[in-house]
Amino acid sequence: MLVLFETAAGYAIFKVLDEQKLQQVDSLWKEFETPEKANKVVKLKHFEKFQDTTEALAAATAMVEGKLGKSLKKVLKKVVAKEAHEQLAITDAKLGGVIKEKLNLSCVHSPAVAELMRGIRNQMEGLITGLPAREISAMSLGLAHSLSRYKLKFSPDKVDTMIVQAISLLDDLDKELNNYIMRCREWYGWHFPELGKIITDNLAYCKSVRKIGDRTNVASMDLSDILPEEIEAEVKLAAEISMGTEVSEEDIANIMHLCDQVIEISEYRSQLYDYLKNRMMAIAPNLTVMVGELVGARLISHAGSLLNLAKHPASTVQILGAEKALFRALKTRRDTPKYGLIYHASLVGQTTAKNKGKISRMLAAKSALAIRYDALGEDTNAEMGVENRAKLEARLRYLEEKGVIVLLLPTSDVKVYDPSGDSTLPTVSKKRKIEEVEEGEEEEKPVEAKAKKVKRESPTEGKHPYSITLWLNWCCRHTLNTDEH
């Protein structure tokens, strides 16, 4: 048996001296405890050294992809083909199939072969002669760096990294902006508390604080470039009767510096949003049309890449982002969530609560098709996304109109449950005379008995409908009386 062993320096072909030892897989490692023992099991037959790093990189990439490289094919034809009757032990079963198909060589891959490769790798310096350990280490390090650069350069998912990083940074900026604005409103609120209630927009608030400074300057300040005229007049009026405390110039300077930070971060946030929008339209145009750039970017970030997202079915896309709720529902045996990140899409947001589940399911199905088209298709247009979105909007209008039609049905056509038949007590006519009401219980009892007698004899008579229970009782009694006779 021959053994094909790959190293960073080249290909090595070993000859197995004692094949019976391969049958003892559990104790095979004992034969490679020392270089002397290892030389009694295998012997180096041929070593083909790589000429440079480029050749080593080409051989390594072909080996990783399970392909037969030129250098390996040359070695196999040169050495192994002469002993075609021998079996060739390899580490990769996929590569063995390629070798058998192209060179018609018998390849074997088993746990014993894997243990043999592990022993050869452990005693590689003693088995491969003429190759210093320092040189093997240097070539291994160089090949590792080259292979890493190759994978990074030719990675099909490298473009998605920009979207993942951009949406993550956008979320971080939103959190920081919220903290900064909250701190700014609370800090400046001690000096001018009325301003926070008048100006609700955060960016306009920070710009106004940056321009006003001390509230005593509001009367002579022109804020028309920031605020409308009505709000500006209200701010000036509130500054004259403000209940805020006096602060020093140093405090105002620190507050203004915080406002500068908020304004700068807000401007960078809008710039980053434009960048993310352009990248999403270039990479996943159909997904962007279906759910929007922010939701699409979050789906890609959650899955890791656009290609990984394309492998998910529509049901997974629908609940992507709600994994905790899903497993909690499965654990407690309750209803599973109907939507995850896709809930923030505009189509789901504009529908009623009754139809959110249906729309999210349909949107996830169409979005899954759009994702696969963007990831695996050759075209970069968004025609399919526009067409599917139009279908979903038409379906949404149909569902909404259907609900309205049901609500506007006339009351005369709607069948209403009559609860009067649930009671087994005798019904009393509403047109009772005053004299009958004033009579005592003695006169009421025979009337009730008479009414009961009438009900037993003819349940179908009378102006008012009788209950189903009385009618069934009458039928049962009538049947029993007939059987007795």
Side-chain angles (χ1 to χ4, degrees):
M1 178 185 289
L2 299 178
V3 180
L4 174 62
F5 186 77
E6 308 93 6
T7 66
Y11 292 110
I13 305 294
F14 289 95
K15 174 72 174 178
V16 179
L17 301 178
D18 190 359
E19 297 184 11
Q20 294 182 354
K21 293 183 179 180
L22 297 179
Q23 298 178 359
Q24 302 174 359
V25 182
D26 297 334
S27 61
L28 187 59
W29 61 273
K30 297 180 181 179
E31 304 296 333
F32 290 91
E33 290 180 344
T34 60
E36 292 78 12
K37 289 184 178 181
N39 284 310
K40 295 179 180 180
V41 180
V42 293
K43 181 181 179 182
L44 182 64
K45 185 177 181 64
H46 179 75
F47 183 77
E48 186 73 21
K49 188 178 180 180
F50 295 133
Q51 298 296 328
D52 51 10
T53 309
T54 306
E55 185 180 357
L57 177 61
T61 52
M63 192 73 64
V64 169
E65 296 173 0
K67 298 180 181 179
L68 186 61
K70 293 182 178 180
S71 57
L72 179 58
K73 189 175 182 180
K74 181 180 177 182
V75 173
L76 293 177
K77 284 184 176 180
K78 183 179 180 181
V79 181
V80 183
K82 295 180 180 179
E83 301 180 9
H85 61 281
E86 294 279 357
Q87 285 185 332
L88 181 64
I90 56 172
T91 55
D92 190 4
K94 184 178 178 181
L95 180 62
V98 177
I99 293 174
K100 186 176 181 180
E101 180 182 355
K102 292 188 176 182
L103 300 179
N104 197 17
L105 295 176
S106 178
C107 299
V108 60
H109 175 72
S110 62
V113 173
E115 192 69 25
L116 179 64
M117 294 290 183
R118 190 177 295 109
I120 294 175
R121 188 177 295 107
N122 188 27
Q123 299 295 338
M124 184 174 58
E125 297 178 4
L127 294 173
I128 302 176
T129 57
L131 196 62
R134 183 179 296 179
E135 185 176 352
I136 294 177
S137 178
M139 294 189 72
S140 299
L141 183 61
L143 180 60
H145 289 172
S146 301
L147 189 60
S148 300
R149 282 195 298 267
Y150 173 83
K151 286 185 175 182
L152 182 63
K153 183 178 180 181
F154 295 99
S155 175
D157 302 333
K158 68 181 187 303
V159 186
D160 304 335
T161 307
M162 307 302 171
I163 292 178
V164 173
Q165 297 297 331
I167 190 63
S168 301
L169 179 58
L170 196 68
D171 293 338
D172 293 341
L173 287 178
D174 289 338
K175 293 178 183 178
E176 293 298 327
L177 272 175
N178 289 333
N179 292 332
Y180 282 12
I181 291 168
M182 180 185 66
R183 185 62 56 203
C184 181
R185 283 179 176 271
E186 186 177 353
W187 199 351
Y188 194 71
W190 287 96
H191 178 60
F192 194 2
E194 295 82 4
L195 185 66
K197 298 180 180 179
I198 298 172
I199 305 176
T200 56
D201 184 69
N202 294 325
L203 186 59
Y205 179 86
C206 292
K207 288 182 178 180
S208 301
V209 172
R210 179 70 181 82
K211 193 170 185 178
I212 292 171
D214 198 311
R215 70 168 184 267
T216 57
N217 302 328
V218 177
S220 60
M221 191 71 62
D222 183 18
L223 301 175
S224 59
D225 56 337
I226 302 174
L227 304 174
E229 295 181 0
E230 300 82 7
I231 298 179
E232 182 182 1
E234 191 175 353
V235 169
K236 291 182 178 180
L237 181 61
E240 297 176 359
I241 58 174
S242 177
M243 301 292 292
T245 60
E246 298 295 333
V247 293
S248 63
E249 295 182 358
E250 185 178 0
D251 297 331
I252 294 293
N254 284 284
I255 295 173
M256 292 172 68
H257 181 67
L258 179 58
C259 292
D260 290 336
Q261 295 292 324
V262 172
I263 294 170
E264 290 178 5
I265 295 176
S266 300
E267 292 175 354
Y268 176 65
R269 198 258 181 203
S270 60
Q271 179 185 353
L272 183 65
Y273 175 73
D274 294 336
Y275 164 76
L276 179 63
K277 186 189 298 184
N278 296 332
R279 296 297 296 175
M280 282 296 297
M281 285 302 298
I283 295 171
N286 293 283
L287 179 61
T288 305
V289 171
M290 294 297 298
V291 299
E293 53 276 348
L294 290 179
V295 179
R298 287 192 174 94
L299 288 173
I300 294 174
S301 175
H302 198 82
S305 66
L306 183 63
L307 190 60
N308 290 342
L309 185 61
K311 297 176 183 178
H312 292 322
S315 58
T316 304
V317 175
Q318 181 180 351
I319 61 171
L320 205 64
E323 289 82 5
K324 290 184 179 179
L326 174 65
F327 292 120
R328 184 169 60 248
L330 293 175
K331 186 177 180 180
T332 57
R333 295 183 180 180
R334 295 184 179 180
D335 294 338
T336 55
K338 295 181 179 179
Y339 26 67
L341 292 171
I342 207 170
Y343 177 81
H344 301 286
S346 59
L347 281 174
V348 181
Q350 67 188 11
T351 187
T352 58
K354 178 182 177 181
N355 297 323
K356 283 186 184 296
K358 294 181 181 179
I359 292 299
S360 63
R361 184 177 66 251
M362 292 186 288
L363 180 60
K366 297 298 183 182
S367 300
L369 295 177
I371 292 165
R372 291 164 190 168
Y373 188 82
D374 291 333
L376 307 174
E378 296 179 357
D379 299 334
T380 57
N381 52 23
E383 295 178 359
M384 190 189 74
V386 174
E387 182 180 354
N388 289 336
R389 186 179 177 88
K391 292 180 181 179
L392 287 176
E393 290 176 351
R395 178 65 178 170
L396 175 60
R397 286 194 299 269
Y398 171 75
L399 291 175
E400 297 293 338
E401 292 172 0
K402 184 179 178 182
V404 172
I405 290 172
V406 171
L407 293 175
L408 296 180
L409 282 174
T411 55
S412 59
D413 296 340
V414 179
K415 294 183 179 181
V416 182
Y417 177 73
D418 186 13
S420 61
D422 292 343
S423 178
T424 58
L425 296 175
T427 57
V428 182
S429 177
K430 294 181 181 179
K431 297 180 180 180
R432 295 179 61 185
K433 295 180 180 181
I434 300 175
E435 292 80 3
E436 294 177 353
V437 176
E438 293 177 353
E439 289 180 357
E441 295 180 355
E442 295 180 358
E443 296 179 359
E444 291 178 356
K445 289 181 179 179
V447 174
E448 293 179 357
K450 186 177 180 180
K452 291 181 179 179
K453 185 177 180 181
V454 172
K455 290 178 183 178
R456 293 191 189 99
E457 292 176 358
S458 56
T460 57
E461 294 180 359
K463 296 181 180 180
H464 298 284
Y466 289 90
S467 67
I468 299 175
T469 306
L470 290 175
W471 183 76
L472 290 174
N473 291 337
W474 182 86
C475 291
C476 293
R477 291 171 185 171
H478 182 71
T479 304
L480 291 173
N481 294 332
T482 305
D483 293 340
E484 290 176 359
H485 291 296

